[in-house]
Structures are given as C-alpha cells and as structure tokens.
Amino acid sequence: ATGQHVIIRVDVQGAESLRTILPEALFIGLEPSDTGALRDHLEGRASETVEQVERRLAIAADEVARARVFCRPLVNVEGDLDATVDAFLELIEREQAREGRSEVRV
C-alpha cells in the first residue's frame, strides 16, 4: 500500500506457496556460483559428515531446479557480496521498468 518493496526470505517450498497467493510478484532464487563452491562452503564448516554434505548437495540441486520454474536466478558470487547485491538490485530495477508491469498488492 505504501509503494515500497517487500522482501521475504523463504525456502523453495515457501516460495511455491507464496506464488499461489502472489502470482505477479517477482521471485528471485539465490544460487551458488557452482556446486563446487557450495561443496567447499559446506565442507569448510566441518560440521557434517561426507554423507550429509552429499545429501545437502542433492537437495540443493533439486531446489534450484524447482525454483528455476518460477524464480529469476541470481548467482551468489562467492566472496563478492557487493556483486550479488548489485545484481539483486538490477533485477528489481528491470522488473519495475518492464512494460505492462502491474503493481502487486498484498
């Protein structure tokens, strides 16, 4: 109602649910630059077994595939938060400027 953007951080299941309520909203899927970067991140924590890391990688691959059905992919550049934020803001600006874009009301 104020014309301000609303940003909600949810998992893929939550985004799928929100999509049914807000079909015109912009959904952005944050993705690792590649599976190697995600593996390095998970292994660097040293808090999970090899089997747990493999399971998480499989889940992540499934979630990325599901999100790509309705989300705009955004690569989370490892070690460069500024680049990721800039790309995020660019996605929002492009969506705002899209011809025929209607305002989403909640």
Side-chain angles (χ1 to χ4, degrees), residues 43-74:
E43 290 175 348
R45 290 182 181 171
S47 62
E48 299 174 277
T49 66
V50 171
E51 293 80 16
Q52 289 171 320
V53 168
E54 293 303 322
R55 182 175 161 274
R56 293 213 33 204
L57 290 171
I59 290 169
D62 176 66
E63 288 181 344
V64 165
R66 286 173 47 207
R68 284 197 169 192
V69 171
F70 63 94
C71 291
R72 300 273 177 90
L74 173 63

Side-chain angles (χ1 to χ4, degrees), residues 82-102:
D82 289 340
T84 303
V85 170
D86 289 345
F88 176 77
L89 294 174
E90 183 180 316
L91 278 173
I92 291 173
E93 288 172 10
R94 273 193 278 151
E95 183 67 14
Q96 276 181 230
R98 184 172 57 91
E99 190 173 319
R101 177 74 175 130
S102 59

Side-chain angles (χ1 to χ4, degrees), residues 1-6 103-106:
T2 66
Q4 300 295 312
H5 294 291
V6 176
E103 194 171 301
V104 174
R105 296 235 178 234
V106 179

